[in-house]
Amino acid sequence: MAVIEVKNVDLTYRVLKNRTGSLKGLFRDMIRGRIRVLDFQALRDISFTVDAGEVVAILGRNGAGKSTLLKVLARVLPPTSGSVKIQGAIAPMIELGAGFHPEMTGAENVLFYSVLMGRDMKRVKGRIPAIGEWAGVSDHMDFPMRTFSSGMIARIAFSTATDEKSEVLLVDEVLSVGDADFQKKSKARMAELIKSGAAVVLVSHDMDAVRTLAHRAIWLENGAIKMEGPAKKVVAAYEKQIQ
Amino acid sequence: MKNLQLIRLLVGRELTIRYKRSVIGIGWTLLNPMLTSFVLWVVFSFLFGSRLDTGQQYAPYLMAGIVVNTFFNQGLLISAESISTNAPVLTKIYVPPQVFPISVALAGLVNFFIGLIPLTLVCLVSGQMLAWTFPLVIVVGFFLALLVAGLGLSLSLLFIRYDDTRNIVGVLLLILTYLTPVFYPLSVLSPKMQHIISLNPLTSYLDCFRWAFSHNANSTIYDWLYMGATGTLSILIGTTIFKKFWPRTVAML
């Protein structure tokens, strides 16, 4: 069953060729009649599906459109045309901890981050101790986030994001979080989530990780799909090209 | 439902975070309008104090002006900025972006109500009783919040696109403050100037507020209608503009 269904997605940014990005600059250019718009097509005719329990990796050089595609899947960027259908809850694991505030305590941040992801406040409140414990930061939950080390922040973010079962996980290079111990633990949890039927879309430059984790891979070039198929095959072709 | 939970958290965060590293914390919300009013009172009371109608007092007049002016100016700037401030979240997690400016306006409303406590004190100290119309200040606060949220939503789109909008809006707000009877009574102005000032919606908000609170100004039914109309229009236009332009603007975050 397809949990994610992407059909003919195009995404075009319209940028004003306005050097300064200021109202003053815009006004000056308007007077001189020098307003030019530039259309930048970030995604071209992207179609694919992801089934429950399937891991799909997205490959490509910097600027190929990987992160943009992930944002479209997260519903953060609306596509210019085409459609994205997603069934169930989405856990966007893109730059974990984006919603954290340094002056708020660990517990407050966990609650806020969870509600941002659309989770129920009451339910999360009961889960805070468990989330802290899994991340190994139980003793720090009542201190402001600014006193956390970056490893601790990454751990608590991962723990929060994966605490509730989501139908869709969008992962952007977050598999290498924390020390070796925690990496093992987080990989096990990811495997568990996948086994329970989560669909995963993964963006990574780590080809070994892609080979071991992903079932299928999609290779993006200049915003379009260049190749799609079994992960090992696509990775091999991609590695051959970039060398 | 879930958005309501999020708004609740955001309002709480908005109210507390600014004072996280201060000793008296949220007490500043009480002290701030008093201190500002005191300074302006020292400067202006001998100029304008005697120009009010009989029975009206300058100290609560001034402070009521400060409370409304702070709500509008700060609320507008912070809510317009809230989208770019929360860009790290908005570019990663799907959240209706409107919740951010709306939460700022609601936090401003809470601060406005907290500001009524020192205002009551100042009223009583200057020998004035609260009027029986006092509960109507809730109506004023409500429409002020709508006005701020609507304008904040529209401006937030410009704030994202153009970096200098903040400075321009800052200057415009300063001009608007002088075009609002915050610290002077209308009667000190020429008839022509009075006419111009009364076109400013905020003048009606202030008249309604001062009258409802302690009959410290006069308000007509037109003031109340003007207030209701501008508040409602602001939120309607703000949400419509935001909805229309957001898909194109989000890519610039």
Side-chain angles (χ1 to χ4, degrees):
Chain A
M1 191 193 71
V3 182
I4 303 175
E5 219 181 319
V6 179
K7 252 191 206 155
N8 310 109
V9 162
D10 276 307
L11 190 92
T12 309
Y13 294 128
R14 166 150 288 186
V15 236
L16 278 183
K17 258 180 117 177
N18 177 5
R19 285 154 304 175
T20 51
S22 70
L23 272 181
K24 198 178 87 188
L26 177 73
F27 189 64
R28 192 181 54 215
D29 290 353
M30 238 152 73
I31 288 174
R32 296 186 188 161
R34 275 215 313 226
I35 292 201
R36 269 186 231 122
V37 287
L38 193 75
D39 282 339
F40 173 71
Q41 199 165 5
L43 296 175
R44 304 159 202 266
D45 199 25
I46 305 277
S47 301
F48 65 94
T49 59
V50 184
D51 291 341
E54 198 180 19
V55 181
V56 172
I58 298 173
L59 316 176
R61 294 165 195 272
N62 290 331
K66 304 183 298 287
S67 296
T68 308
L69 180 56
L70 220 50
K71 284 178 183 174
V72 171
L73 294 177
R75 294 206 296 148
V76 165
L77 282 179
T80 315
S81 66
S83 69
V84 177
K85 272 188 204 138
I86 290 180
Q87 266 141 30
I90 305 172
M93 298 167 67
I94 308 172
E95 255 179 65
L96 282 172
F100 287 165
H101 194 290
E103 293 297 335
M104 293 201 302
T105 68
E108 285 169 342
N109 271 312
V110 166
L111 182 66
F112 184 69
Y113 189 34
S114 304
V115 174
L116 270 180
M117 282 187 287
R119 293 176 188 166
D120 182 67
M121 193 155 81
K122 274 202 195 100
R123 209 167 54 223
V124 174
K125 270 186 183 159
R127 292 288 304 159
I128 288 174
I131 294 173
E133 202 185 314
W134 198 84
V137 294
S138 289
D139 302 342
H140 293 74
M141 291 302 273
D142 294 326
F143 292 109
M145 211 72 170
R146 69 184 140 83
T147 65
F148 283 45
S149 73
S150 55
M152 283 158 77
I153 293 175
R155 264 148 45 199
I156 191 79
F158 184 90
S159 176
T160 310
T162 54
D163 186 64
E164 253 179 53
K165 193 182 167 288
S166 308
E167 279 73 21
V168 173
L169 293 176
L170 304 174
V171 184
D172 194 354
E173 301 277 11
V174 287
L175 296 167
S176 46
V177 154
D179 52 21
D181 259 2
F182 189 80
Q183 277 192 34
K184 222 162 131 190
K185 213 167 136 187
S186 59
K187 274 187 182 148
R189 186 174 241 190
M190 287 292 284
E192 203 179 293
L193 287 168
I194 295 160
K195 223 164 91 188
S196 71
V200 180
V201 177
L202 172 79
V203 167
S204 182
H205 287 287
D206 179 359
M207 288 305 135
D208 289 331
V210 171
R211 253 191 295 259
T212 49
L213 279 166
H215 305 118
R216 276 195 300 134
I218 293 169
W219 175 5
L220 286 185
E221 202 168 88
N222 294 324
I225 295 181
K226 181 162 186 184
M227 188 179 172
E228 187 190 348
K232 291 199 173 80
K233 216 172 125 189
V234 179
V235 168
Y238 176 68
E239 278 184 326
K240 204 171 153 194
Q241 162 117 99
I242 57 171
Q243 265 156 25
Chain B
M1 189 47 217
K2 276 176 182 154
N3 290 339
L4 282 183
Q5 289 186 341
L6 181 56
I7 287 174
R8 228 176 82 190
L9 283 178
L10 278 171
V11 170
R13 191 165 88 153
E14 196 61 46
L15 289 172
T16 52
I17 227 143
R18 220 174 316 157
Y19 305 117
K20 271 273 152 116
R21 282 194 183 194
S22 72
V23 183
I24 58 164
I26 201 153
W28 277 113
T29 312
L30 291 168
L31 264 179
N32 246 337
M34 285 177 94
L35 294 176
T36 316
S37 304
F38 181 72
V39 172
L40 286 173
W41 181 78
V42 169
V43 178
F44 289 121
S45 67
F46 76 96
L47 257 182
F48 300 128
S50 55
R51 302 297 294 269
L52 291 169
D53 292 359
T54 40
Q56 296 180 357
Q57 293 294 337
Y58 185 64
Y61 182 92
L62 175 66
M63 189 153 166
I66 300 284
V67 168
V68 168
N69 189 248
T70 309
F71 185 178
F72 184 78
N73 283 13
Q74 278 190 10
L76 192 61
L77 275 178
I78 301 175
S79 69
E81 227 172 13
S82 65
I83 302 268
S84 17
T85 314
N86 288 290
V89 172
L90 283 167
T91 50
K92 270 133 218 144
I93 304 172
Y94 175 74
V95 192
Q98 293 94 330
V99 298
F100 294 104
I102 288 172
S103 301
V104 172
L106 288 177
L109 184 61
V110 174
N111 276 332
F112 172 78
F113 286 134
I114 295 175
L116 296 183
I117 299 168
L119 180 58
T120 308
L121 279 177
V122 170
C123 259
L124 296 177
V125 167
S126 56
Q128 209 170 38
M129 283 306 193
L130 297 197
W132 59 273
T133 46
F134 169 75
L136 283 174
V137 297
I138 296 172
V139 177
V140 180
F142 174 73
F143 283 114
L144 204 45
L146 290 189
L147 186 74
V148 167
L151 288 171
L153 276 166
S154 325
L155 281 177
S156 66
L157 296 165
L158 279 177
F159 270 56
I160 296 163
R161 281 168 186 247
Y162 307 108
D163 294 335
D164 53 355
T165 320
R166 193 181 199 290
N167 302 319
I168 295 170
V169 171
V171 174
L172 291 179
L173 282 176
L174 186 65
I175 296 171
L176 188 68
T177 301
Y178 285 109
L179 292 178
T180 312
V182 173
F183 55 83
Y184 57 84
L186 265 187
S187 56
V188 302
L189 301 172
S190 65
K192 197 179 156 203
M193 209 47 208
Q194 283 188 28
H195 185 69
I196 294 172
I197 301 289
S198 56
L199 287 177
N200 174 3
L202 286 177
T203 306
S204 288
Y205 283 78
L206 264 179
D207 283 340
C208 293
F209 181 51
R210 285 170 176 145
W211 175 79
F213 197 75
S214 58
H215 287 184
N216 207 21
N218 305 311
S219 69
T220 64
I221 183 74
Y222 297 109
D223 286 318
W224 290 85
L225 288 176
Y226 196 31
M227 177 175 77
T230 46
T232 312
L233 265 182
S234 165
I235 193 73
L236 286 180
I237 294 173
T239 45
T240 314
I241 288 182
F242 192 88
K243 220 173 172 176
K244 181 158 192 298
F245 289 100
W246 174 249
R248 276 185 250 171
T249 312
V250 60
M252 299 180 180
L253 279 179

